[in-house]
Amino acid sequence: MLHPITVTHYLVLSAALLLIGTLGVLLRRNAVVIMMSIELILNAVNINLIAFSEHLKTLNGQIFAIFVITVAVAEAAVGLGILIALFRNKETVLIDEIDILKW
Amino acid sequence: MSVYYSSTDHFVLLPVILLALFGCATLLFDFWLFPDARQRRFLVWFLLIGEAFAGVALWRQQSFLNQHGGSINAFNGSLVVDGFSLYFHWIFLATTTLVGLISYRYFEVREEHHGEYYGLIMLAQCGMFFLASGNELVTLFIGLETMAVTFYVLVGFLRADKRSNEAALKYLLLGGFSSGFLAYGFSILYGISGSTKLNEIASAVAARDPFDPLLFLAIATILVGLFFKVSAAPFHMWTPDAYEGAPTVVTAYLAVGSKAASLALLVRLLTGALSTAHAAWEPLLIGVALLSMTVGNFAAVTQTNTKRLLAYSSINHAGYILLGLVARNTIGLQGVMIYILVYAFMNLGAFLVLTSLASKGIAGEDINDLNGLMQKSPAHALWMLVFLLSLAGIPPTAGFLGKYLIFLGLLQSGHYILAIFAALYVAVAIYYYFRLVRAMFTQKQENAVAPTTSLGMKLALGVTGVLTLVIGVYPEPWLRFAQWSITR
């Protein structure tokens, strides 16, 4: 007998995604991978929102999720633009080599 | 049947419609009318006229509120115009106008004068509008991101400059990370209340135990996100780098506009929807405020770059403002409002003087670049002295007023130890601000280059300087305005 999937399962999944995303931001050295980790965090948010929306039977959460996706795209577009500008001047995307500004 | 766009909605949204319109017009007309870089300074007029129209629209809201009191709700309660949001709208309007005025000369000197800059700062102001007025999670999130994404572009505006690229990348990565946390907290708030409206969230939060794990997770993630945005320690790592690498005028806008807007959201959440759960957030706030003052003060002491020094000083100021929220009484909150207003003008002024030090081939960002400023240009040196005294919080200037009210609030609510710490840190702050004063007045410099200046810069310097003095010497009307803004 299979157990039904409840909102708790989705919350655990999204918490795991948040954790993986956070670790990715803190530990990876490639700026592109860090941006992907940020996307993971935003997807954790989306899973939360849609699970709650289904659980509470209100639509607000799904609309919020659409906006979060839009914002994530805008952020990625600007982020890649900045990364390309940096790569033209510096020829690296590894954050420990991007170290002119410190202390 | 519900109405989708009523005249009230229009009335509330008009300032931001005008700003967005003029901002987009600037982006378009930049290519059509001003192909030649030397003509681009006319684009400042787009900004000034747009701000003037937005100012009229804001003034109509202000007089409506003065007559009828209360607040105006629009879009089914998604946006609210009350004293609090209007107070911030005026700060944003003044900040953006002043930043626009000082920018054209700076970018002309750097030979990076692009028209879209004026459009971008107006669009960032639109985002700030929603942060101060939003009364609903989706609106607030979109407002925050509109502002943040625009700032990522602005910080990296000097495309050929490696430092600007690097600052933009660091700001983007940490800014995106913090927005993710904030959105996560928002999603849980939606989950526990079933609504995205702040007043419905308030009643759901009030019904719960403050240390309920789900609610505590929401509060913690939201605070982490917002502490990043207001650059409070230990989430301040991006601040010195972004401030140093960004063009100085953008640094000024980032330090004042972005911080004020994020504080608007923080104050609205902590005094509104989350106020009943204060047992959960108060210890976090105290810890972060103390750490911000410590890190800000002691790291600023060793800086040799003036922009970095002011970055650490802004971390320190964030600590003081958070202490005002810890007090949780009217005086403390009034202190927070006054502090934000005063901080806007004194910090803009200080960055303005740094902007004028940059000239062809000279970055003007080292502490030694201030050497002998008194001989080169007494006006710049004396105004800078006023701004530095105010930043340190010394009596005749406005900076004292904000600190004084926050101390008073802390004493009234019985946080004696915090008040003592806050007062002791003023002494450290005086030390590093006076390193700048010493450089300006006692050091000599050979081959002195006079500061770059322009009509806009002189105007902005006068306005920020006079306001920094006037608010300090004659505080009554400003105190009344701040008092009015927090009466709901």
Side-chain angles (χ1 to χ4, degrees):
Chain A
M1 167 84 194
L2 287 169
H3 294 286
I5 298 176
T6 61
V7 69
T8 322
H9 293 87
Y10 288 111
L11 282 185
V12 171
L13 172 67
S14 89
L17 271 181
L18 178 74
L19 197 68
I20 296 169
T22 310
L23 288 178
V25 172
L26 298 177
L27 301 178
R28 298 302 293 257
R29 39 200 294 268
N30 189 319
V32 180
V33 180
I34 295 180
M35 277 183 215
M36 286 157 64
S37 306
I38 292 172
E39 300 293 312
L40 271 189
I41 296 179
L42 290 173
N43 281 333
V45 174
N46 287 338
I47 289 176
N48 252 354
L49 286 170
I50 291 166
F52 281 132
S53 167
E54 180 61 23
H55 178 65
L56 301 161
K57 306 288 178 219
T58 54
L59 269 180
N60 304 16
Q62 297 185 32
I63 293 163
F64 198 163
I66 291 172
F67 278 106
V68 171
I69 294 169
T70 317
V71 161
V73 172
E75 218 169 58
V78 169
L80 290 175
I82 289 171
L83 204 59
I84 288 169
L86 181 82
F87 192 77
R88 281 198 183 136
N89 290 334
K90 187 125 175 152
E91 306 236 325
T92 181
V93 291
L94 302 179
I95 47 160
D96 41 6
E97 289 172 17
I98 303 173
D99 57 356
I100 314 171
L101 304 167
K102 57 188 167 194
W103 278 109
Chain B
M1 191 193 129
S2 57
V3 180
Y4 293 108
Y5 190 72
S6 69
S7 56
T8 323
D9 297 346
H10 187 70
F11 182 60
V12 166
L13 208 57
L14 193 57
V16 78
I17 292 177
L18 288 165
L19 283 173
L21 216 65
F22 273 86
C24 293
T26 315
L27 295 180
L28 281 177
F29 288 126
D30 177 33
F31 292 108
W32 286 352
L33 300 182
F34 308 110
D36 185 356
R38 276 171 305 170
Q39 300 165 342
R40 292 217 178 98
R41 58 163 68 184
F42 291 110
L43 282 168
V44 181
W45 286 105
F46 274 78
L47 179 111
L48 292 180
I49 295 168
E51 298 290 345
F53 275 118
V56 172
L58 280 182
W59 181 250
R60 285 178 56 210
Q61 294 178 4
Q62 175 92 43
S63 45
F64 181 89
L65 281 189
N66 284 344
Q67 274 172 24
H68 300 86
S71 59
I72 319 169
N73 281 304
F75 295 101
N76 289 320
S78 299
L79 283 179
V80 60
V81 170
D82 49 13
F84 181 80
S85 60
L86 264 178
Y87 187 88
F88 276 100
H89 295 335
W90 287 119
I91 294 183
F92 301 149
L93 189 90
T95 310
T96 314
T97 314
L98 291 170
V99 167
L101 281 176
I102 64 177
S103 296
Y104 63 92
R105 189 77 194 119
Y106 178 83
F107 284 115
E108 278 171 4
V109 168
R110 304 290 299 243
E111 292 175 350
E112 283 275 2
H113 199 214
H114 302 294
E116 64 264 32
Y117 173 80
Y118 303 101
L120 284 174
I121 58 174
M122 288 164 95
L123 293 177
Q125 197 193 345
C126 294
M128 296 176 194
F129 178 95
F130 286 113
L131 269 179
S133 265
N135 204 20
E136 191 255 12
L137 296 182
V138 184
T139 317
L140 287 169
F141 184 65
I142 297 294
L144 185 79
E145 286 301 304
T146 311
M147 181 186 80
V149 171
T150 323
F151 267 111
Y152 303 149
V153 180
L154 284 172
V155 168
F157 203 72
L158 302 174
R159 261 180 309 175
D161 181 3
K162 277 182 200 171
R163 295 195 311 154
S164 183
N165 299 150
E166 182 180 329
L169 185 69
K170 285 180 173 169
Y171 183 38
L172 174 107
L173 292 179
L174 288 171
F177 185 45
S178 68
S179 307
F181 266 82
L182 188 79
Y184 192 84
F186 279 1
S187 74
I188 293 178
L189 276 190
Y190 164 67
I192 57 180
S193 64
S195 165
T196 50
K197 299 249 165 69
L198 284 189
N199 32 10
E200 284 171 46
I201 290 171
S203 46
V205 168
R208 278 182 180 246
D209 174 51
F211 289 101
D212 172 272
L214 215 50
L215 179 57
F216 188 73
L217 181 66
I219 291 176
T221 45
I222 287 175
L223 284 184
V224 167
L226 283 175
F227 287 151
F228 260 109
K229 300 279 176 203
V230 303
S231 64
F235 310 105
H236 65 284
M237 300 82 74
W238 62 272
T239 319
D241 290 350
Y243 280 27
E244 186 188 342
T248 312
V249 283
V250 174
T251 311
Y253 198 37
L254 185 65
V256 173
S258 163
K259 186 175 275 203
S262 314
L263 278 167
L265 174 55
L266 188 68
V267 175
R268 194 183 278 279
L269 281 177
L270 292 188
T271 60
L274 300 177
S275 59
T276 47
H278 63 87
W281 53 257
E282 218 175 48
L284 297 177
L285 214 58
I286 292 177
V288 166
L290 280 179
L291 201 62
S292 301
M293 292 194 298
T294 314
V295 169
N297 272 322
F298 289 106
V301 168
T302 57
Q303 297 304 319
T304 53
N305 180 303
T306 37
K307 276 160 90 180
R308 277 187 105 77
L309 193 149
L310 285 180
Y312 281 108
S313 114
S314 95
I315 295 169
N316 172 34
H317 288 297
Y320 279 103
I321 294 173
L322 294 182
L323 277 188
L325 284 172
V326 169
R328 286 200 304 115
N329 51 20
T330 322
I331 297 256
L333 199 55
Q334 200 184 5
V336 169
M337 302 301 280
I338 284 282
Y339 207 116
I340 293 171
L341 176 79
V342 168
Y343 172 83
F345 292 120
M346 64 191 182
N347 224 26
L348 261 185
F351 276 113
L352 203 169
V353 175
L354 294 188
T355 308
S356 68
L357 291 179
S359 50
K360 220 178 176 83
I362 301 173
E365 292 170 9
D366 198 85
I367 232 172
N368 295 327
D369 287 324
L370 280 168
N371 284 356
L373 188 63
M374 187 60 196
Q375 283 128 27
K376 284 184 279 179
S377 168
H380 279 92
L382 289 174
W383 280 128
M384 186 67 172
L385 179 67
V386 170
F387 299 133
L388 291 173
L389 286 176
S390 180
L391 282 164
I394 291 174
T397 54
F400 171 72
L401 185 64
K403 284 208 171 71
Y404 170 73
L405 287 172
I406 286 177
F407 288 154
L408 212 60
L410 284 173
L411 291 177
Q412 262 189 15
S413 58
H415 293 92
Y416 300 111
I417 300 173
L418 285 180
I420 291 170
F421 263 107
L424 285 178
Y425 277 134
V426 173
V428 184
I430 289 174
Y431 170 74
Y432 59 79
Y433 290 126
F434 271 75
R435 281 175 60 213
L436 301 185
V437 175
R438 200 176 70 99
M440 287 192 303
F441 288 90
T442 64
Q443 308 292 85
K444 296 269 179 293
Q445 196 184 35
E446 322 297 311
N447 64 0
V449 187
T452 322
T453 187
S454 65
L455 183 63
M457 277 182 171
K458 282 181 194 153
L459 206 65
L461 191 63
V463 170
T464 49
V466 167
L467 279 174
T468 307
L469 281 177
V470 164
I471 299 176
V473 177
Y474 183 54
E476 281 85 3
W478 309 92
L479 285 175
R480 242 181 293 129
F481 188 32
Q483 180 66 43
W484 172 78
S485 76
I486 51 174
T487 356
R488 298 261 165 86

